[in-house]
Amino acid sequence: MTNLSNHDLKYIVNTHFHGDHTGSNSHFAHKAPIFAHQNVRERLSNQAAEKSVALPVVTYEQGVNIYLSDETIKLSHFPNAHTDGDTIVYFKEANVLHTGDLFFEIGFPYIDINNGGSVEGYLTAVRKIIAQMPDDVVIIPGHGKLTNKVRYQEFADMITYSIKRINSFLAAGKNEQEILALGIGENYQHWSWYFITEEKWLKTLVADLQEN
Ligand SMILES: [Zn+2]
Ligand SMILES: [Zn+2]
């Protein structure tokens, strides 16, 4: 692992409100301003009664650009995808993208449909990001190892396939139990991992898609 620089922190970005991406806010908040989508601040504010959280102090609706002397950092929001407050962070000069949780390189994605996330919205966001990024971009996923656009496209293909498969089962009148028994199919079973197993992924797809 490369070392972090020892320069002072200038800006902190919360890519969304989940604890594994905001849990250190109170540690860093006094060192630099925290940026996030407006909905991240709102969702964290709602939790502030139970636990001490440091809130983002600069919020935006669509995104914001940060200009450093030798780097431009573009923060872009994608609506209703992993949550309702997702931001990707693109370092233009370095050609490095941090996707937040709009990419689980490790396996099936977690999609927080109870907090504004959407399976279709997630796929829309992933496709848009792939289309707008250079082919040689270096990608830091929310979960998993440092990767590239080829792997991101495989991830998009897996989600496309999953949605199509579950929609066809639902159209044929199958219920959740039957769909769980049919499974995701042999081509994509290996995307199962301890946090989002095949069963959990199928349940998310059914819960979200059967409402459409
Ligand atoms: Zn998350
Ligand atoms: Zn996460």
Side-chain angles (χ1 to χ4, degrees):
M1 191 184 154
T2 35
N3 292 323
L4 293 172
S5 91
N6 55 9
H7 295 300
D8 288 338
L9 278 173
K10 282 192 179 163
Y11 308 99
I12 296 159
V13 179
N14 287 161
T15 56
H16 60 292
F17 82 100
H18 285 155
D20 56 323
H21 301 261
T22 56
S24 299
N25 275 8
S26 49
H27 176 76
F28 288 115
H30 63 284
K31 297 181 177 145
I34 301 173
F35 285 59
H37 185 267
Q38 175 65 23
N39 292 345
V40 175
R41 184 178 162 97
E42 275 160 32
R43 291 203 178 277
L44 289 177
S45 306
N46 295 337
Q47 299 175 354
E50 302 131 55
K51 48 184 179 181
S52 81
V53 288
L55 300 176
V57 294
V58 182
T59 68
Y60 45 82
E61 295 288 344
Q62 308 296 331
V64 67
N65 296 332
I66 300 173
Y67 294 93
L68 306 180
S69 57
D70 54 357
E71 182 61 271
T72 300
I73 304 163
K74 298 174 85 72
L75 278 51
S76 310
H77 168 62
F78 288 84
N80 302 95
H82 174 66
T83 64
D84 61 3
D86 302 307
T87 293
I88 62 166
V89 183
Y90 180 56
F91 299 81
K92 201 166 164 237
E93 309 306 328
N95 192 24
V96 171
L97 169 70
H98 182 20
T99 59
D101 279 355
L102 293 178
F103 188 8
F104 284 72
E105 189 277 332
I106 195 168
F108 294 130
Y110 175 48
I111 298 180
D112 193 348
I113 56 176
N114 297 318
N115 286 294
S118 146
V119 169
E120 303 267 12
Y122 194 100
L123 178 59
T124 300
V126 169
R127 283 181 170 160
K128 277 189 188 159
I129 297 164
I130 290 172
Q132 69 190 99
M133 283 295 143
D135 284 343
D136 58 350
V137 65
V138 173
I139 303 179
I140 305 166
H143 297 264
K145 58 183 195 303
L146 195 68
T147 187
N148 56 37
K149 226 170 120 166
V150 172
R151 180 69 174 157
Y152 206 10
Q153 185 60 53
E154 289 172 6
F155 179 72
D157 292 345
M158 175 272 290
I159 298 169
T160 303
Y161 175 86
S162 300
I163 291 174
K164 251 176 107 174
R165 183 174 173 91
I166 302 318
N167 273 336
S168 75
F169 289 158
L170 290 170
K174 304 217 179 296
N175 64 29
E176 184 188 79
Q177 242 3 74
E178 291 166 326
I179 292 173
L180 289 178
L182 288 160
I184 201 69
E186 61 182 16
N187 290 344
Y188 292 105
Q189 283 168 346
H190 64 279
W191 286 80
S192 189
W193 60 297
Y194 67 90
F195 180 49
I196 306 296
T197 58
E198 180 179 341
E199 181 182 349
K200 191 163 179 192
W201 176 228
L202 290 169
K203 283 183 171 173
T204 300
L205 289 160
V206 170
D208 201 19
L209 295 173
Q210 73 185 355
E211 285 173 16
N212 297 342

